Amino acid sequence: MALEDGGALRHCLLGFGLAALGACAGPPADECGAAKDAFRIPVHIVTEEGAVRVQAEVADDESERARGLMFRECLREREGMLFLFPQPRQQSFWMKNTLIPLDMIFIREDRTVLGIVAEAEPQTLTSRRVPGASQYVLELAGGEAARLGIESGQRVDFMAPVPER
């Protein structure tokens, strides 16, 4: 466990408290492989049909962003992972060790949808990106973005600090 970044420590403390810090080898997982006590926030996307809400685990440090949704066996409806980056840039993702298809919603610094990579094929090293700079990426189960009516240009709202550079 990397304690210098606070992310792993935050997950450990949320699930087990300070008394168990020395014995924390990782939180228990749910049936999909997600940590039961993973830090999650609501994310609202304003679509043509109105606002939709998803619950997203937060990946706000290097180790969390590197692991992402790898090794997950499933992802529930309206659940995903929100990647927070210190600054906008051309983001690129691959699906190595990712077992399920994903929709990748690339979000600009102003929190509008830049573009979507739909149903990314699992277990590949193919680079997935959209043209332009994004600061956030929301990953959902493959097909979820279309089902919820998420499209380029829509507003995305969430309460999360931008990671330090």
Side-chain angles (χ1 to χ4, degrees):
M1 169 173 44
L3 296 180
E4 67 274 1
D5 61 34
L9 178 60
R10 175 183 65 225
H11 293 293
C12 183
L13 292 175
L14 285 172
F16 300 103
L18 286 170
L21 180 59
C24 185
D30 67 13
E31 67 276 3
C32 290
K36 287 184 178 181
D37 65 349
F39 181 63
R40 292 177 173 86
I41 62 170
V43 177
H44 296 89
I45 303 105
V46 182
T47 70
E48 296 288 323
E49 302 297 319
V52 296
R53 177 183 163 160
V54 299
Q55 282 295 115
E57 293 177 53
V58 175
D60 61 356
D61 64 44
E62 275 303 312
S63 64
E64 291 169 342
R65 289 189 298 259
R67 181 168 175 86
L69 292 170
M70 291 193 301
F71 307 109
R72 300 288 178 89
E73 296 178 8
C74 57
L75 198 56
R76 290 184 200 88
E77 286 185 4
R78 294 182 185 248
E79 288 191 3
M81 182 171 280
L82 180 64
F83 295 79
L84 307 174
F85 295 93
Q87 60 194 24
R89 67 180 177 105
Q90 174 75 60
Q91 305 295 345
S92 182
F93 286 70
W94 62 6
M95 298 286 287
K96 180 180 180 180
N97 298 320
T98 305
L99 307 176
I100 56 176
L102 296 175
D103 289 346
M104 299 173 188
I105 303 164
F106 292 80
I107 304 166
R108 294 180 188 94
E109 181 179 21
D110 70 359
R111 298 191 182 187
T112 58
V113 176
L114 173 64
I116 300 169
V117 172
E119 307 237 16
E121 180 183 357
Q123 300 187 50
T124 64
L125 295 177
T126 304
S127 179
R128 280 26 178 250
R129 67 180 66 151
V130 298
S134 56
Q135 187 163 1
Y136 315 101
V137 178
L138 176 63
E139 290 185 340
L140 301 173
E144 190 80 348
R147 189 181 73 73
L148 295 173
I150 301 170
E151 299 175 354
S152 294
Q154 294 173 337
R155 177 91 186 137
V156 181
D157 292 312
F158 55 86
M159 296 290 292
V162 174
E164 293 182 19
R165 294 178 189 215

